[in-house]
Amino acid sequence: EIVLTQSPGTLSLSSGDRATLSCRASQSVSSSQLAWYQQKPGQAPRLLIYGASSRATGIPDRFSGSGSGTDFTLTISRLEPEDFAVYYCQQFDSSLYTFGQGTKLEIK
Amino acid sequence: QVQLQESGPGLVKPSETLSLTCTVSGASISSYSWIWIRQPPGKGLEWIGYIHYSGSTNHNPSLKSRVTISADRSKNQFSLKVSSVTAADTAVYYCAGRRSYDDSSGYSYYYLDYWGQGTLVTVSS
């Protein structure tokens, strides 16, 4: 089973700041099979990034993904108030589609 | 527009079987793979299992053999059963659709693009 470890657990920033979220895999993951989701309270997760770096339809360009192998990053260039939420990475590289434990992005 | 809707009892007694159905509209279940995910209150997402469009299934080994995922193509629905439930199975259960495509280099891209709204299932006597 591929374990995804996200860091930090909680990130406290202000609107306009740059956010950098990390997702580290216990073994190499194909970049094409790494996705990022955003979840707000009481809502289902929403796809942000697929293939490690491709933005999903309708996702603003302040969101970007990068990385390969075991280290992946989600970057939000300039935080907007609606970006404060929990973010999850997920891999599909093994037949067990594991999620990271999440990073909570909170207002400082 | 693809829409997913979970349905099933919101309360299940310990040791009984949790049963949920996801009804898909706007797409054929024969076209994608379909996933069940759960989220215990205040916790993160846990992948439960999937049913491939071919009919093959797989599930999280942490749930041992308690999970059954099936599909009813005539109703365009797929279902989840979790047997011998305990309080630890209390969660919001989501159904989701996995999209995929192969690029010109032969790489396969997978991602969950379709999500139900989620349904809370509480295990309690």
Side-chain angles (χ1 to χ4, degrees), chain B residues 72-106:
Chain B
D72 185 337
R73 298 177 195 281
S74 67
K75 295 181 179 179
N76 219 38
Q77 297 174 334
F78 62 104
S79 299
L80 170 71
K81 293 186 187 298
V82 181
S83 62
S84 305
V85 297
T86 69
D89 294 307
T90 293
V92 174
Y93 285 75
Y94 294 101
C95 58
R98 190 202 76 182
R99 295 192 69 183
S100 64
Y101 76 91
D102 294 340
D103 69 9
S104 57
S105 301

Side-chain angles (χ1 to χ4, degrees), chain A residues 1 30 32-35 37 39 42-47 50-51 54 56 88 90 92 95-101, chain B residues 35 37 39 43-47 50 58-61 94 98 101 107-113 115-118:
Chain A
E1 175 183 341
S30 171
S32 67
Q33 303 197 359
L34 192 288
Y37 304 88
Q39 187 180 34
Q43 296 183 17
R46 175 176 72 146
L47 176 69
Y50 65 93
S54 298
Y88 295 94
Q90 184 192 20
F92 297 84
S95 60
L96 307 179
Y97 296 168
T98 49
F99 288 93
Q101 83 279 18
Chain B
I35 317 295
I37 293 152
Q39 185 170 36
K43 296 189 178 181
L45 302 171
E46 180 183 29
W47 172 74
Y50 65 71
N58 197 10
H59 64 268
N60 192 326
Y94 294 101
R98 190 202 76 182
Y101 76 91
Y107 290 102
S108 296
Y109 289 74
Y110 296 154
Y111 47 96
L112 301 183
D113 205 13
W115 290 78
Q117 64 187 25

